[in-house]
């Protein structure tokens, strides 16, 4: 390697900087222990405790190539939003934010790029975060079985090697580097509703009221049709004659309102946003703006890589949110995704004089073929940004950076949504106590600013299964507050699928129903009662566990722990746990094993090493084991858990429990066998306790209980409860 390489030791981290002037740079956490290392030409050998790692780092044809040997049983986890199993082997992944309509298993890339992975071999984990927002490729044992080859298509990057040996430690350190997840407002855990699009105004109010007659909802989203000709920061006054009054009324009903905002700026003389932003946009060359096609037709895009643009955007967001009283912002198309294929249709039209009708047919055709977009991660082939030309900004247009340098899009595309979310976050932070942003695209670090949903997943059983895998991949990559379109987005599966989807995601942090234009009307109040009942039960169950989810949001925010996670996070030593992505842990205390097949009454559930209690029937199981379980939504509580729920606390574990509370009757501390289970967030009042174990009885208060699973009402005077063995 040449000499423009810098090495810094940090707490359990070695940071290797190659080149200068990265547009988004992160610091290694300060402290010890820090790894020892040696460099011998292209090879760097690192060691900390009994963990070691060897990386080859080479520069070749304007690329940086990082190589590492892969063990036969080595697991490769993370890498963000990937439609792949937890353990990624024999695949080639691209990092290029991409609008992937109707994706399926192994379709790659998707909307968001996170070049962070965790290797696990013999129960020992090491993390690797390659910070480059440029086009990158990870070849994980595809071209050579025993090699991990990461290509950065640029001459600069930062490489963070993160030592474990626990997966949880690595994730925590990664979040110290890139930033802890934002703390969502509590309403963001509620049931939220959306479709493409709710309008006009009266209909929006009707929908809200119809929902409320069935189930509480916490937020309603306005998709692109609220705008005037898809021009951002405008209103369609015909559809929404009094937006302010409408929002006020929704607020009175206890419903938050969140509008979608795309990045497109319509090229239109006299449109104030265009006039103001003209000079702040991505450039075709030194003189001209980059003009492309987006929802409003010909448009340009703000160049978020520049402070000046961020400040401008923040001021627009502030103005818009304050004027109408919105409660959050939904950022879509921010990969950024543009309709280059429409430019081609326009070119054809100019050449051959196509009618609007023919143009519409071609457009529809491309939309349908859209599900064939992207590339397959398990097929060996060369990949370049040109593979994604149909919907991506051209790789060779320019961003003007703060240092005055013009830099091509391909070197920083993946960081675009990061800076947009940052500017949006900073705006909301100034005017709102609680900030909530939902973003489709993102990059490492986006977790500080926004929640992420998994975009346009097909409404199929495959889509449902896939969604769980993607959410777990996101969770292991620092995106704690993630979710999906409940029921799927593209097309519309049957009611059974929609109901199962609501159950499967009952504990998923972001819980919003959403669907495509043209998809069958499927608001729950219009559903057959059988399915409506199931969905309502799923929502009730979620609401029961809301205090636990809230506690986990705090934990994620303060300590960098994922809210939902794959079994291998809590049971790293368990080989089986790396191959299970149809079950998930909710914090460390609850295991959810949803039913993901049509026409089934139950499923086989894997329970890792621990004692577990079936939440529904109180049966105790000893893991590791596979069991047959018949339930609408199988859930299990782990031994030694205290879970705060709406009407009390659920505890499972024999003997040695102590629960203390303060003068207000709020839980101050729970300890179990000398382990303190700390409460985060707003401490809860304990009115009831559900004891899920036969062999304990409380001391210090009187209670009539004996039936497993019944809540015991407490006498409010106690200060401390102790449980006998
Ligand atoms: O080109 O705003 O993923 O949730 O409803 C499609 C319309 C644009 C894509 C988003 C979807 C949203 C839709 N958008």
């Amino acid at each position: 390697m040449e000499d423009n390489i810098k090495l810094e030791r940090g707490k359990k981290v070695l940071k290797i900087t190659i080149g200068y002037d990265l547009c988004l740079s992160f610091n290694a956490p300060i402290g010890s222990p820090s790894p020892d290392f040696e460099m011998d030409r292209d090879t760097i050998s690192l060691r900390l405790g009994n963990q070691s790692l060897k990386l080859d780092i080479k520069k070749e044809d304007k690329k940086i190539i990082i190589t590492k040997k892969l063990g036969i049983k080595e697991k490769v986890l993370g890498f963000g939003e990937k439609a792949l199993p937890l353990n990624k082997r024999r695949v080639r992944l691209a990092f290029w934010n991409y609008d992937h309509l109707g994706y399926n298993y192994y379709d790659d890339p998707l909307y968001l790029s996170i070049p962070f992975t965790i290797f696990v071999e013999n129960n020992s984990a090491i993390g690797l975060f390659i910070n480059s927002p440029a086009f990158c490729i990870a070849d994980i044992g595809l071209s050579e079985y025993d090699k991990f080859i990461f290509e950065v298509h640029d001459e600069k990057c930062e490489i963070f090697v993160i030592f474990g040996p626990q997966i949880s430690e690595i994730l925590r350190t990664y979040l110290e580097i890139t930033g802890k997840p934002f703390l969502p407002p509590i309403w963001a855990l509620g049931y939220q509703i959306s479709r493409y699009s709710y309008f006009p105004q009266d209909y929006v109010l009707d929908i809200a009221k119809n929902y409320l007659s069935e189930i509480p909802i916490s937020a309603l989203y306005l998709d692109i049709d609220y705008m005037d000709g898809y021009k951002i920061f405008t209103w369609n006054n015909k559809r929404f004659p009094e937006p302010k009054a409408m929002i006020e009324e929704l607020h009175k009903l206890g419903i938050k309102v969140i509008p979608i905002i795309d990045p497109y700026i319509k090229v239109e003389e006299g449109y104030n946003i265009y006039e103001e932003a003209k000079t702040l946009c991505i450039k075709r060359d030194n003189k001209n703006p980059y003009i492309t096609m987006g929802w409003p037709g010909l448009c340009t895009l703000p160049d978020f890589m520049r402070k000046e643009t961020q400040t401008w955007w923040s001021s627009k967001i502030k103005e818009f949110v304050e004027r109408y009283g919105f409660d959050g912002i939904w950022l879509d198309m921010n990969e950024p995704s543009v309709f280059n294929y429409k430019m081609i249709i326009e070119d054809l039209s100019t050449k051959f004089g196509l009618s609007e009708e023919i143009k519409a047919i071609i457009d529809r055709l491309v939309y349908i073929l859209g599900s064939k977009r992207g590339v397959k991660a398990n097929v060996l082939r060369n990949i370049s940004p040109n593979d994604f030309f149909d919907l991506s900004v051209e790789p060779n247009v320019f961003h003007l950076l703060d240092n005055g340098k013009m830099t091509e899009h391909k070197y920083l595309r993946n960081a675009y949504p990061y800076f947009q979310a940052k500017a949006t976050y900073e705006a909301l932070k100034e005017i709102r106590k609680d900030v909530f942003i939902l973003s489709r695209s993102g990059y490492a670090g986006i977790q500080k600013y926004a929640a992420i949903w998994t975009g346009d997943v097909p409404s199929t059983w495959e889509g449902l299964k896939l969604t769980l895998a993607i959410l777990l991949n996101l969770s292991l990559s620092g995106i704690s507050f993630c979710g999906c379109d409940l029921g799927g987005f593209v097309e519309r599966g049957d009611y059974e699928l929609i109901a199962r989807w609501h159950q499967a995601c009952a504990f998923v942090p972001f819980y919003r129903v959403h669907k495509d234009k043209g998809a069958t009307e499927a608001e729950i109040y219009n559903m057959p009662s059988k399915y409506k009942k199931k969905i309502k039960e799923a929502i009730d169950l979620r609401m029961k566990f809301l205090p636990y989810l809230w506690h986990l949001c705090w934990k994620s925010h303060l300590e960098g722990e994922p809210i939902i996670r794959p079994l291998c996070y809590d049971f790293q030593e368990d080989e089986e746990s790396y191959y299970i992505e149809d079950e998930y842990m909710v914090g460390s205390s609850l295991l959810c094993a949803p039913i993901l097949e049509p026409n089934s009454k139950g499923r086989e559930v894997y329970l890792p090493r621990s004692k577990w209690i079936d939440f529904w029937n109180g049966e105790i199981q000893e893991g590791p084991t596979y069991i047959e379980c018949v339930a609408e939504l199988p859930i299990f509580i782990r031994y030694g858990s205290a879970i705060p729920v709406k009407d009390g606390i659920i505890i499972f574990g024999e003997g040695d429990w102590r629960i203390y509370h303060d003068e207000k009757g709020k839980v101050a501390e729970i300890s179990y066998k000398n382990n303190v289970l700390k409460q985060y967030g707003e401490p809860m009042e304990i009115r009831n306790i559900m004891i899920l174990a036969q062999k304990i009885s409380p001391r210090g208060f009187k209670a009539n209980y004996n039936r497993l699973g019944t809540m015991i009402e407490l006498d409010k005077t106690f200060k401390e409860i102790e449980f006998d063995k």
Side-chain angles (χ1 to χ4, degrees):
M1 286 292 295
E2 304 137 53
D3 42 35
N4 65 352
I5 173 164
K6 202 172 98 195
L7 298 144
E8 288 162 78
R9 297 170 73 202
K11 192 180 85 199
K12 297 201 129 195
V13 168
L14 184 76
K15 175 180 175 185
I16 307 164
T17 308
I18 301 170
Y20 309 94
D21 281 345
L22 207 66
C23 70
L24 172 58
S25 173
F26 295 106
N27 297 321
I30 303 164
S32 60
S34 65
D36 292 323
F37 61 89
E38 258 168 52
M39 223 167 144
D40 178 19
R41 277 193 232 149
D42 292 341
T43 305
I44 177 157
S45 309
L46 303 97
R47 176 173 297 279
L48 183 66
N50 46 26
Q51 290 200 293
S52 61
L53 177 79
K54 227 184 228 178
L55 287 180
D56 281 331
I57 306 175
K58 263 190 259 173
K59 260 191 168 180
E60 224 174 80
D61 317 323
K62 303 205 159 183
K63 282 181 212 158
I64 299 167
I65 302 176
I66 301 144
T67 315
K68 176 189 123 52
K69 211 162 158 51
L70 279 181
I72 289 175
K73 288 196 170 175
E74 186 165 355
K75 269 74 98 191
V76 183
L77 311 174
F79 278 137
E81 192 179 44
K82 293 292 175 193
L84 294 167
L86 298 172
N87 181 17
K88 291 154 199 80
R89 294 287 305 246
R90 306 266 166 96
V91 286
R92 180 174 286 183
L93 310 175
F95 295 83
W96 186 258
N97 300 340
Y98 186 55
D99 179 354
H100 207 138
L101 179 80
Y103 55 84
N104 275 310
Y105 266 111
Y106 288 92
D107 280 337
D108 190 66
L110 301 187
Y111 309 89
L112 163 148
S113 306
I114 303 184
F116 163 60
T117 182
I118 302 172
F119 300 102
V120 191
E121 196 175 21
N122 302 324
N123 196 13
S124 164
I126 290 191
L128 184 65
F129 168 39
I130 297 162
N131 177 28
S132 164
F135 180 73
C136 294
I137 296 172
D139 183 318
I140 315 169
L142 188 66
S143 57
E144 287 183 65
Y145 291 157
D146 61 346
K147 274 204 182 124
F148 169 87
I149 308 162
F150 195 95
E151 288 180 14
V152 176
H153 288 220
D154 193 1
E155 292 175 293
K156 50 178 178 283
C157 72
E158 292 171 345
I159 304 169
F160 294 85
V161 178
I162 309 171
F163 282 83
Q166 291 300 309
I167 296 174
S168 54
E169 287 176 274
I170 291 172
L171 196 49
R172 202 181 314 128
T173 305
Y174 168 77
L175 290 169
E176 276 174 42
I177 297 168
T178 58
K180 298 273 167 58
F182 77 104
L183 181 71
I186 197 158
W187 59 260
L189 290 170
Y191 186 46
Q192 311 186 38
I193 61 162
S194 181
R195 79 163 294 144
Y196 174 21
S197 303
Y198 290 141
F199 69 82
Q201 187 171 315
D202 292 343
Y203 178 63
V204 170
L205 291 168
D206 276 354
I207 285 205
K209 287 174 192 157
N210 284 334
Y211 262 102
L212 289 182
S213 70
E214 300 277 356
I215 200 90
I217 54 173
S218 73
L220 180 147
Y221 289 69
L222 295 173
D223 208 324
I224 51 177
D225 293 294
Y226 78 83
M227 289 180 269
D228 171 21
Y230 305 129
K231 289 192 302 202
I232 56 171
F233 304 119
T234 70
W235 275 91
N236 180 317
N237 295 320
K238 281 211 189 90
R239 289 177 181 154
F240 296 92
E242 293 154 318
K244 235 182 133 170
M246 176 187 79
I247 293 164
E248 269 167 27
E249 191 163 348
L250 289 167
H251 281 167
K252 275 193 207 132
L253 297 171
I255 301 170
K256 308 289 180 191
V257 186
I258 296 144
I260 198 168
I261 299 189
D262 285 340
Y264 310 121
I265 298 180
K266 186 181 171 85
V267 176
E268 184 184 280
E269 301 301 324
Y271 167 40
N272 68 323
I273 300 296
Y274 173 66
E275 297 295 348
E276 292 172 28
K278 251 184 204 171
T279 56
L280 302 173
C281 287
I282 300 180
K283 295 186 185 319
R284 161 72 58 198
D285 52 42
N286 261 326
K287 284 198 213 104
N288 302 296
Y290 170 57
I291 300 208
T292 176
M293 200 69 110
W295 277 114
L298 285 185
C299 66
T300 175
L301 295 160
D303 185 357
F304 285 112
M305 308 309 294
R306 213 149 83 236
K307 191 77 206 140
E308 200 189 347
T309 315
Q310 292 168 24
T311 309
W312 171 79
W313 179 264
S314 295
S315 73
K316 291 292 120 182
I317 292 281
K318 263 192 283 188
E319 230 178 276
F320 192 58
V321 166
E322 284 201 301
R323 174 151 5 117
Y324 297 102
F326 292 119
D327 304 281
I329 292 290
W330 172 18
L331 300 173
D332 189 23
M333 311 303 275
N334 54 346
E335 291 71 25
S337 173
V338 297
F339 304 146
N340 277 330
Y341 70 92
K342 284 195 205 258
M343 295 292 267
I344 298 171
I345 301 174
E346 283 305 316
D347 286 351
L348 283 175
S349 172
T350 327
K351 224 172 170 177
F352 301 108
L354 305 180
S355 67
E356 286 306 313
E357 246 177 311
I358 298 208
K359 272 162 54 180
I361 292 170
I362 303 181
D363 202 294
R364 180 79 197 141
L365 202 69
V366 177
Y367 183 83
I368 292 165
L369 292 176
S371 55
K372 306 276 175 291
R373 277 175 193 145
V375 297
K376 286 282 178 191
N378 50 350
V379 174
L380 194 60
R381 55 172 284 175
N382 286 325
I383 316 169
S384 84
N386 292 327
D387 289 311
F388 317 108
F389 173 79
D390 56 345
L391 290 168
S392 305
V393 168
E394 286 156 65
N396 301 322
V397 299
F398 293 96
H399 295 258
L400 177 63
L401 304 187
D402 284 327
N403 61 14
K405 281 193 189 142
M406 292 269 272
T407 303
E408 283 173 70
H409 184 67
K410 63 181 174 199
Y411 295 122
L412 40 77
R413 173 178 177 81
N414 295 338
Y416 185 92
Y418 175 96
F419 287 109
Q420 183 202 28
K422 181 171 190 274
T424 310
Y425 183 90
E426 278 157 10
L428 294 181
K429 192 94 208 157
E430 274 183 46
I431 54 171
R432 290 278 182 270
K433 200 173 110 264
D434 292 324
V435 177
F436 186 76
I437 299 168
L438 175 65
S439 174
R440 189 170 69 172
S441 186
Y443 180 69
I446 189 92
Q447 71 274 0
K448 293 181 291 235
Y449 309 123
I452 297 291
W453 99 103
T454 55
D456 302 344
V457 66
S459 185
T460 58
W461 291 93
E462 179 177 351
L464 170 57
K465 278 192 194 172
L466 180 56
T467 293
L468 280 194
I470 299 182
L471 291 172
L472 295 178
N473 285 329
L474 277 171
S475 287
L476 264 197
S477 312
I479 309 291
S480 292
F481 209 81
C482 54
C484 57
D485 290 347
L486 297 173
F489 179 78
V490 185
E491 303 299 327
R492 180 44 78 175
D494 57 28
Y495 291 127
E496 187 192 354
L497 174 68
I498 299 170
R500 286 294 187 208
W501 209 304
H502 278 78
Q503 292 174 345
C505 295
F507 302 99
V508 165
F510 176 65
Y511 196 63
R512 182 189 73 158
V513 61
H514 182 56
K515 50 238 159 235
D516 199 357
K517 203 162 233 177
T520 40
E521 182 70 45
E523 309 299 346
I524 66 160
Y525 53 83
N526 283 335
M527 280 189 199
S529 57
K530 178 178 167 197
Y531 299 103
K532 193 200 298 187
K533 183 167 165 273
K534 287 180 197 272
I535 294 178
K536 283 167 81 171
E537 280 167 5
I539 298 172
D540 281 347
L541 182 72
R542 177 183 178 86
M543 291 308 145
K544 180 184 178 72
F545 281 92
L546 203 83
Y548 183 47
L549 284 176
W550 180 232
H551 162 81
L552 293 173
C553 287
W554 272 96
K555 214 163 177 195
S556 157
H557 177 61
L558 297 174
E559 293 182 0
E561 186 179 310
I563 300 169
I564 55 166
R565 57 257 197 146
L567 270 43
C568 62
Y569 178 91
D570 294 278
F571 302 92
Q572 181 173 322
E573 70 296 340
D574 183 336
E575 281 294 310
E576 203 68 6
S577 72
Y578 294 85
Y579 299 93
I580 294 190
E581 55 236 0
D582 58 356
E583 297 178 15
Y584 58 97
M585 292 295 295
V586 185
S588 58
S589 299
L590 197 146
L591 185 151
C592 175
I595 291 169
L596 307 172
E597 301 278 348
N599 306 315
S600 12
K601 295 241 171 306
R603 59 165 283 175
E604 196 176 29
V605 177
Y606 177 66
L607 297 170
R609 182 174 308 282
S610 171
K611 233 189 228 174
W612 301 88
I613 190 163
D614 181 321
F615 178 72
W616 302 110
N617 65 14
E619 266 175 39
I620 294 181
Q621 306 286 348
E622 186 87 48
T625 182
Y626 279 99
I627 57 156
E628 262 316 315
C629 179
V630 178
E632 267 304 320
L633 176 59
I635 54 180
F636 297 84
I637 291 170
R638 188 176 172 183
Y639 197 82
S641 297
I643 301 183
V645 292
K646 199 163 96 195
D647 41 6
I649 291 180
I650 297 173
I651 60 173
F652 173 43
E654 287 160 37
D656 289 345
W657 283 95
R658 277 156 171 275
I659 300 178
Y660 310 88
H661 66 113
D662 62 15
E663 311 74 58
K664 291 181 201 137
K666 302 220 167 160
V667 176
E669 203 175 281
I670 304 173
S671 76
Y672 178 60
K673 297 193 172 164
N674 300 325
N675 279 326
V676 177
L677 307 166
K678 209 167 130 201
Q679 282 289 299
Y680 291 89
E682 176 69 12
M684 60 170 315
E685 206 175 317
I686 18 177
R687 278 166 287 157
N688 304 295
I689 290 190
M690 184 194 274
I691 299 169
L692 295 176
Q694 296 94 331
K695 282 199 207 143
I696 51 176
S697 62
R699 255 199 275 147
F701 71 99
K702 281 201 178 122
N704 287 330
Y705 86 102
N706 258 331
R707 249 184 38 240
L708 186 78
T710 40
M711 280 287 184
I712 309 164
E713 209 175 311
L714 297 178
D715 150 10
K716 288 233 175 97
T717 55
F718 76 100
K719 270 257 179 292
E720 180 184 326
I721 316 173
E722 227 179 287
F723 295 94
D724 289 336
K725 279 187 213 202

